[in-house]
């Protein structure tokens, strides 16, 4: 089930099987974006509500017009700047985007991932007549997203092996939080989900002020109040509150490395930078569950960079 072979992954996807794929953000559970039967199994494998739309992953920004029409100029220049990379554009769909992909909406989400294995796979498939792959994060619905092949196997291994599906191992994800989702319907960029491409990046690049986040309007499952959650209870605390907690061996700590670990507490993450924090966050939450910890104390990072995305995920994990 687990493979390093891009050719085997491409053959399986063409034949209608699922294949978990590495991307720079998190692992995705991929299916041929033009195969409704395979796509239905993506929802089944994840236990995801069937009206939640999926992101279409493509090999090159040059193919964007196959999926999205009437794209605003600012959005097109954003894709030229940040693709391949952790940016997803939601725009008016063409007929290529199936209802099972868009959840019946008149918009579709598209991105070009920045992972050499994913890109080679997408290019091979494009030449073979598969124009794109849908790929939601390869976790059980509501759980923490996977940043390694092991995480995918822990969540979905039973399902995938029972159905002869594959996991393409591309090592650890370098970004660690899901892509920034930007709604591109008119002159104002609207961020539906923060990610490593920050609103400051988008504002300074487009010269256009960002509209308010409108996560409730189109469906974004990552925008549910409770999501990205480990089994352990996640408590967001300030650095000063931290040292008032009576800690014991059932308590873990996630924080930047300048935060001192309280007595007996299990240190799960000591990140040197906000980028490191993002990259290792989900693995550290999964580690807490492997250790059977009851509680994870989290001191959230600050800043207007990927810290905003981290804070967003932490709030939902703590809900
Ligand atoms: O980094 C990522 O984006 C990862 C990797 C695998 O590419 N994928 C990912 O997929 O996070 P998923 O399905 O877990 O999250 C995609 C989000 C969902 O919250 C979904 O509701 C939203 O994108 N989405 C997809 N199509 C949309 C649309 N047409 N309008 C609004 N939101 C949409
Ligand atoms: Mg997800």
């Amino acid at each position: 089930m687990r493979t390093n072979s891009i050719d085997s992954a491409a053959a399986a996807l063409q034949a209608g099987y699922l294949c978990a794929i590495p991307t720079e953000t998190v692992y995705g559970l991929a299916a041929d974006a033009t195969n409704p039967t395979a796509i239905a199994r993506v929802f089944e494998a994840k236990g995801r509500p069937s009206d939640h739309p999926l992101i279409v992953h493509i090999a090159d920004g040059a193919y964007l017009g196959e999926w999205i029409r009437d794209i605003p100029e600012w959005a097109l220049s954003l894709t030229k700047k940040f693709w391949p990379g952790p940016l997803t554009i939601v725009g008016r769909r063409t007929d290529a985007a199936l209802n099972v992909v868009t959840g019946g909406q008149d918009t579709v989400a598209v991105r070009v991932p920045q992972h050499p294995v994913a890109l080679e796979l997408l290019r091979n498939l494009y030449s073979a007549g598969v124009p794109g792959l849908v790929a939601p994060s390869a976790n059980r619905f509501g759980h923490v997203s996977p940043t390694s092949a092991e995480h995918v196997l822990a969540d979905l291994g039973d399902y995938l092996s029972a159905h002869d599906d594959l996991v393409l191992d591309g090592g650890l994800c370098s970004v660690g939080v899901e892509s920034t989702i930007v709604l591109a319907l008119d002159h104002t960029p609207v961020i539906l989900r923060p990610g490593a491409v920050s609103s400051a990046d988008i504002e300074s690049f487009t010269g256009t002020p960002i509209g308010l986040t409108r996560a409730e309007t189109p469906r974004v499952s990552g925008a549910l109040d409770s999501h990205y959650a480990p089994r352990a209870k996640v408590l967001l605390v300030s650095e000063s509150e931290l040292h008032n907690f009576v800690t014991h061996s059932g308590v873990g700590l996630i924080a930047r490395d300048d935060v001192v670990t309280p007595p007996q507490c299990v240190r799960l993450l000591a990140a040197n930078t906000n980028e490191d924090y993002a990259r290792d966050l989900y693995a550290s939450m999964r580690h807490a569950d492997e250790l059977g910890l009851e509680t994870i104390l989290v001191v959230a990072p600050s800043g207007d960079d990927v810290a905003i995305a981290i804070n967003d995920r932490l709030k939902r994990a703590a809900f």
Side-chain angles (χ1 to χ4, degrees):
M1 165 175 49
R2 185 171 176 165
T3 178
N4 291 305
S5 163
I6 294 174
D7 289 342
S8 311
L13 286 159
Q14 268 184 279
Y17 291 96
L18 310 186
C19 179
I21 60 167
T23 82
E24 79 282 26
T25 58
V26 301
Y27 273 71
L29 181 60
D32 174 352
T34 62
N35 182 335
T37 317
I39 296 169
R41 284 219 297 114
V42 169
F43 288 95
E44 179 184 88
K46 282 185 57 99
R48 174 168 166 143
S50 63
D51 62 343
H52 284 205
L54 302 172
I55 298 174
V56 178
H57 295 64
I58 58 175
D60 195 300
Y63 310 144
L64 179 61
E66 295 176 18
W67 301 94
I68 292 180
R69 61 186 170 81
D70 306 330
I71 181 133
E73 201 51 50
W74 62 262
L76 197 57
S77 23
L78 262 191
T79 65
K80 289 184 176 146
K81 164 84 175 159
F82 291 105
W83 280 355
L87 172 74
T88 295
I89 296 289
V90 175
R92 289 189 182 80
R93 69 193 265 194
T94 64
D95 292 340
L98 304 174
N99 277 321
V100 280
V101 173
T102 67
Q105 302 181 86
D106 55 6
T107 55
V108 65
V110 180
R111 90 176 187 102
V112 180
Q114 185 177 43
H115 189 294
V117 171
L119 282 173
E120 193 179 330
L121 175 67
L122 287 165
R123 288 191 196 114
N124 292 356
L125 284 167
Y126 192 86
S127 315
V130 175
L133 295 175
V134 293
S137 53
N139 51 276
R140 295 280 309 162
F141 182 69
H143 194 211
V144 180
S145 295
T147 53
S148 71
E150 289 78 16
H151 296 166
V152 176
L153 291 169
D155 270 33
L156 303 178
D158 290 346
Y159 180 92
L160 299 178
S161 80
H163 293 81
D164 295 324
D165 299 318
L166 296 181
V167 177
L168 179 57
D169 191 346
L172 299 178
C173 300
S174 58
V175 173
V177 291
E178 304 79 358
S179 61
T180 307
I181 303 182
V182 179
L183 182 64
L185 295 181
D186 52 30
H187 48 276
T188 315
V190 176
I191 296 191
L192 299 178
R193 181 177 69 184
V197 174
S198 69
S199 56
D201 291 336
I202 295 171
E203 234 164 38
S204 71
F205 183 75
T206 59
T208 313
I210 306 271
L212 289 176
T213 302
R214 275 218 315 260
E216 73 282 3
T217 322
R219 279 182 294 265
V220 181
S221 52
L224 298 175
D225 286 337
S226 169
H227 211 74
Y228 310 110
R231 214 172 31 242
K233 189 175 167 63
V234 175
L235 285 180
L236 289 172
V237 298
S238 68
E239 197 176 344
S240 55
E241 284 166 343
L242 175 66
H243 298 288
N244 297 330
F245 270 88
V246 180
T247 50
H248 54 82
S249 58
V251 178
L253 174 65
I254 290 177
R256 286 283 302 258
D257 59 0
D258 53 353
V259 176
V260 176
T261 313
Q264 258 128 55
C265 184
V266 181
R267 191 60 183 253
L268 297 163
L269 177 64
N272 194 25
T273 62
N274 288 348
E275 284 69 35
D276 289 354
Y277 200 125
R279 188 194 56 215
D280 297 334
L281 175 64
Y282 291 151
S284 64
M285 287 178 167
R286 284 175 180 266
H287 189 213
D289 284 346
E290 281 156 24
L291 295 174
L293 301 186
E294 285 159 28
T295 307
I296 309 174
L297 300 176
V298 183
V299 182
S302 57
D304 69 354
D305 54 5
V306 73
I308 292 176
I310 296 170
N311 276 272
D312 169 76
R313 306 308 190 274
L314 287 173
K315 242 187 297 158
R316 299 179 203 287
F319 188 80

